[in-house]
Amino acid sequence: MLRLPPFALHQPTTVAEAIAHLAAHAPDVRVISGGTDLLPNIKLAQTRIQHLVSVKFLEELHGVTRTATHLRIGAATALQDLADDEDVRETLPALAFAASRIGSPQIRKMGTLGGNISLDTRCRYINQTELWREALGGCLKSHGTECHVVPGGQGCVASLSADTVPPLIAYGAIAEMVSDKGIRRAPVQDLFQQDGTWHVRIAREELLLAVEIPLPEPTTRVVYRKWAVRQSIDFPLVSVAVRLDGADGVLTGGSIVVSALGPRPRVLPLNAMAGRKIDEELAQALGQLVYDRARPLPNIPYDAEYRRERMVIEVRRAVRVLAGLPERPLAQQA
Ligand SMILES: Cc1cc2nc3c(=O)[nH]c(=O)nc-3n(C[C@H](O)[C@H](O)[C@H](O)COP(=O)(O)OP(=O)(O)OC[C@H]3O[C@@H](n4cnc5c(N)ncnc54)[C@H](O)[C@@H]3O)c2cc1C
Ligand code: SF4
């Protein structure tokens, strides 16, 4: 049985108190929300930390509120509450769907949006016990000097596997962080960097308060598709959010966000395709676009080339849903 090492748990009741704990103990400190990612990683000695600051009793971080222009979702909102929220389901259906496909009912009741955005990267060589990793000589993320995914590579390319991130980016979400230096806001798209050892640009001293998502125009629609081997308790092996803007079946803009590649999602703007009809031809063209511009790595299970083909299929399926076209049997999708 894997045991948790000793650590100090701080349970502030105000944001000011939480920030003070983070500032006092950085860099040897982490925020803990649902703990569904952090605690297993501590048990696996993938993360070593002396201080945890809980957000459980910080009221401002819980729940969904609507303003005239935005939906604001507190970072400590449970994934199941997000998936069940009527406002989110109606206004941001792709986000509600993504939340509903995470883990299992227990994981969604414990796990939160903030924890999902900051979910540690995953790799078949790091999500193992310390004993297993040492047998291989470690890696750049675990006391070693080489990457087993990209031999000779200078950086860790472990995969961003958070289900809510692609739809958040597609909807243009803004993250709000606070630290002893004040409030900072940044598009969720800009929160990620190409370093699988620390891929989220949220400093140890910072607390993610909430994300704000602009209310989409009626002409904007987003579909999220996740491919995993199992229908439950499975991280995405390919995930795509397709956003198409346009009225009367004609595209005016949008984007494709592809994830489960490396540490950062790939965002492909579709402005250059404005004026095209939203139809089967567009589904084929966007499938080709992701095939050319986004490439899965052998960092998570399943053959990378198969995942690449699968990514194309998921993009085409998303476009067909948005175009109101019937689904085609898998054999006819190549
Ligand atoms: C069996 C199993 C299946 C899973 N399946 C999926 C899946 O299908 N898809 C998926 O996306 N995830 C999955 N997960 C991962 C995880 O459960 C979710 O990503 C969940 O949303 C993590 O949220 P949490 O609140 O538990 O995060 P925690 O474990 O509490 O924290 C995760 C990280 O986020 C940071 N963090 C949390 N809140 C804040 C904040 N407010 N400010 C700053 N940093 C913060 C923590 O410091 C830590 O680094 C699975 C996990 C398990 C154990
Ligand atoms: S991508 Fe390379 S460095 Fe990163 S966890 Fe995997 S094997 Fe280690």
Side-chain angles (χ1 to χ4, degrees), residues 67-311:
T67 70
T69 53
H70 290 85
L71 273 193
R72 183 180 169 92
I73 305 172
T77 304
L79 296 166
Q80 191 63 55
D81 293 342
L82 188 60
D84 290 343
D85 188 279
E86 284 303 323
D87 228 354
V88 178
R89 287 164 72 101
E90 204 170 296
T91 317
L92 311 167
L95 179 62
F97 173 71
S100 78
R101 288 292 322 276
I102 292 174
S104 63
Q106 296 89 335
I107 299 283
R108 292 193 294 273
K109 281 206 160 85
M110 294 283 293
T112 63
L113 181 65
N116 194 245
I117 292 171
S118 305
L119 176 70
D120 201 358
T121 52
R122 299 184 61 76
C123 172
R124 62 198 341 168
Y125 298 102
I126 191 79
N127 296 105
Q128 307 286 352
T129 60
E130 196 174 20
L131 186 75
W132 191 100
R133 299 195 306 265
E134 278 176 0
L136 202 63
C139 70
L140 299 175
K141 195 172 175 178
S142 168
H143 309 101
T145 53
E146 68 171 314
C147 173
H148 306 293
V149 174
V150 183
Q154 299 300 302
C156 169
V157 293
S159 167
L160 172 75
S161 304
D163 274 301
T164 64
V165 168
L168 282 172
I169 293 175
Y171 282 122
I174 305 289
E176 188 175 281
M177 280 72 61
V178 65
S179 71
D180 56 348
K181 297 181 186 66
I183 294 223
R184 178 170 78 88
R185 289 163 66 84
V188 171
Q189 177 173 342
D190 296 344
L191 282 186
F192 301 97
Q193 58 191 6
Q194 193 62 20
D195 175 1
T197 65
W198 188 258
H199 69 305
V200 191
R201 290 189 174 120
I202 298 179
R204 296 274 166 110
E205 299 87 336
E206 284 185 315
L207 178 66
L208 176 64
L209 287 176
V211 290
E212 284 194 353
I213 302 131
L215 302 179
E217 298 290 331
T219 49
T220 290
R221 288 177 310 141
V222 180
V223 160
Y224 177 65
R225 293 196 64 96
K226 158 182 185 169
W227 179 69
V229 176
R230 301 175 300 194
Q231 291 299 309
S232 174
I233 315 194
D234 229 355
F235 285 90
L237 297 174
V238 160
S239 64
V240 299
V242 177
R243 169 186 173 150
L244 299 185
D245 300 333
D248 302 325
V250 178
L251 191 73
T252 55
S255 60
I256 301 178
V257 187
V258 192
S259 195
L261 302 170
R264 201 167 50 172
R266 191 96 168 83
V267 183
L268 306 173
L270 301 181
N271 300 350
M273 299 221 171
R276 288 189 64 147
K277 275 194 176 159
I278 303 175
D279 57 9
E280 180 60 33
E281 252 183 52
L282 185 73
Q284 296 294 325
L286 298 190
Q288 189 62 46
L289 180 78
V290 291
Y291 186 83
D292 294 340
R293 304 270 303 276
R295 183 169 277 236
L297 296 164
N299 47 5
I300 49 178
Y302 255 70
D303 179 65
E305 200 50 39
Y306 178 79
R307 285 169 44 228
R308 192 177 182 194
E309 301 282 352
R310 192 76 211 194
M311 181 180 77

Side-chain angles (χ1 to χ4, degrees), residues 1-7 38-44 52:
M1 189 175 72
L2 293 171
R3 291 183 185 281
L4 277 172
F7 53 78
L38 190 55
L39 293 179
N41 290 346
I42 292 176
K43 281 186 174 180
L44 290 169
L52 296 182

